[in-house]
Amino acid sequence: MQQRKLGKSDISVAPLAFGGNVFGWSIDEKTSFSILDGFVDAGLNLIDTADVYSRWVPGNQGGESETIIGKWLAQGGRRDKVVIATKVGKDMGDGKVGLKKAYIQRAVEDSLRRLQTDYIDLYQSHDDDKSTPFEETLEAYGALIKAGKVRLIGASNYDVKRLAEAREVGEKLGLPLYQTLQPEYSLIERGAFERELEPYCLQHGVGVIGFYSLASGFLSGKYRSEADLGKSAARGARVKGYLNERGLKILAALDTVAQRQSSTPAAVALAWLIARPSVTAPIASATSLQQLEALVAATQLTLTPADVALLDEASAY
């Protein structure tokens, strides 16, 4: 399995990340364990989660995903085989939100406890907190890195202006720099990332681990008409917006390439992302071992120039 560096760090990851938002939401602990085992057995190692996953589920408090990963790690022999990425900053209730120093210091301890580990490989600002100076946030991360509790930091949902400002503050004050960015990025959601963020990330060596890589399952080909939206109550409303001329054109291109490659639309959509020079590892989730196999297949798929050109043209924005 090929390895890529996270930003300019010395941490290497395989070119596909597993999205841990499904743990404690759409799959239970036992299924989560089997998928994590399968993920690592396939030679993959980057697991992405967040403290807030999956607070949106009735009865959940947040932290369910980290807790399941922690129990899996506690079985032993796994910690050095994986790169754990988690996030801080989204609203956890009771005033637990944002990127102020005091809250980061509290939140990281909660995440470490749930994950049952002494350190987090990649700790990410889940949302831009414009009410907190970059200096305060980066100083907090610097203290965690110095203490050995965090190895490097990343940002999620930042626009290019704020990402650049954070870098300027970090360079000026000798504080940690964001080594990675998590933007929304897929064949169907290209423009927002490619216009400004992609050139910036390439210029400054910022690793990209994009989310919604399969556009909530739309790029798997599962949803092709409004009649298909009932297959997922959670995703139906979002996917409905993709059922237009451009979306169907993208699905047709994915079908063509999948047939050429003896593969699947999902694997092709991920392989297109993996082939982008700016992308370190797209994030994708699976709720069964069968789905996981389709994701892993993307890392073994080499698209031809003709394949890429067809997908680029179909998804042009």
Side-chain angles (χ1 to χ4, degrees):
M1 181 70 68
Q2 60 173 297
Q3 297 283 307
R4 300 171 173 183
K5 299 291 187 183
L6 283 177
K8 294 182 177 179
S9 76
D10 60 356
I11 299 179
S12 296
V13 297
L16 182 69
F18 192 89
N21 61 319
V22 294
F23 302 146
W25 174 28
S26 48
I27 53 176
D28 60 18
E29 183 177 296
K30 182 180 178 181
T31 306
S32 300
F33 282 12
S34 67
I35 287 177
L36 284 166
D37 286 338
F39 183 76
V40 173
D41 289 345
L44 302 169
N45 64 340
L46 178 55
I47 301 168
D48 179 78
T49 186
D51 55 5
V52 76
Y53 298 165
S54 48
R55 187 170 180 257
W56 57 86
V57 178
N60 283 4
Q61 304 298 315
E64 288 78 15
S65 174
E66 288 182 333
T67 298
I68 286 174
I69 294 168
K71 290 181 179 179
W72 177 76
L73 289 174
Q75 294 179 351
R78 294 175 167 88
R79 184 63 185 92
D80 62 349
K81 295 180 180 179
V82 294
V83 174
I84 300 294
T86 193
K87 311 180 198 75
V88 60
K90 279 197 179 293
D91 191 354
M92 291 282 284
D94 300 323
K96 296 184 289 186
V97 64
L99 298 174
K100 295 193 182 303
K101 185 175 182 178
Y103 178 57
I104 289 174
Q105 290 171 332
R106 173 184 177 185
V108 75
E109 296 299 336
D110 289 340
S111 287
L112 288 168
R113 174 178 48 78
R114 288 189 292 259
L115 288 164
Q116 299 193 49
T117 184
D118 296 328
Y119 65 96
I120 292 163
D121 297 289
L122 175 61
Y123 202 36
Q124 302 157 100
S125 298
H126 206 157
D127 275 330
D128 183 8
D129 177 6
K130 294 181 179 178
S131 68
T132 303
F134 285 126
E135 179 179 356
E136 178 177 346
T137 298
L138 297 178
E139 280 182 352
Y141 287 144
L144 295 178
I145 291 171
K146 186 175 182 180
K149 295 180 179 181
V150 169
R151 295 179 70 189
L152 66 149
I153 60 169
S156 176
N157 299 309
Y158 276 52
D159 63 31
V160 71
K161 182 176 181 290
R162 294 284 289 173
L163 192 62
E165 288 175 1
R167 173 171 289 272
E168 289 167 7
V169 171
E171 289 176 338
K172 180 180 179 181
L173 300 177
L175 296 171
L177 306 180
Y178 287 131
Q179 295 295 327
T180 61
L181 174 70
Q182 268 200 46
E184 179 174 359
Y185 188 41
S186 70
L187 270 168
I188 204 159
E189 296 287 359
R190 292 180 59 183
F193 173 70
E194 290 183 16
R195 287 189 188 98
E196 294 184 327
L197 282 165
E198 185 174 43
Y200 182 87
C201 289
L202 285 168
Q203 179 184 353
H204 294 281
V206 177
V208 175
I209 44 179
F211 61 88
Y212 284 151
S213 300
L214 292 175
S216 297
F218 177 75
L219 296 174
S220 71
K222 180 179 178 181
Y223 308 95
R224 295 176 183 267
S225 69
E226 293 210 9
D228 293 329
L229 299 179
K231 294 177 180 178
S232 173
R235 296 178 170 183
R238 181 179 176 85
V239 170
K240 184 177 181 179
Y242 301 141
L243 289 172
N244 51 38
E245 183 179 354
R246 178 172 175 266
L248 295 176
K249 187 177 181 181
I250 292 171
L251 288 186
L254 286 170
D255 288 339
T256 298
V257 176
Q259 187 173 17
R260 285 178 189 168
Q261 293 275 0
S262 299
S263 188
T264 65
V268 171
L270 292 172
W272 180 85
L273 286 169
I274 290 170
R276 295 289 295 191
S278 61
V279 173
T280 305
I283 301 169
S285 299
T287 57
S288 68
L289 289 174
Q290 183 179 9
Q291 286 184 8
L292 179 64
E293 288 174 9
L295 304 185
V296 174
T299 67
Q300 302 155 354
L301 190 59
T302 302
L303 300 181
T304 67
D307 293 335
V308 173
L310 178 64
L311 294 166
D312 285 349
E313 190 278 330
S315 61
Y317 54 91

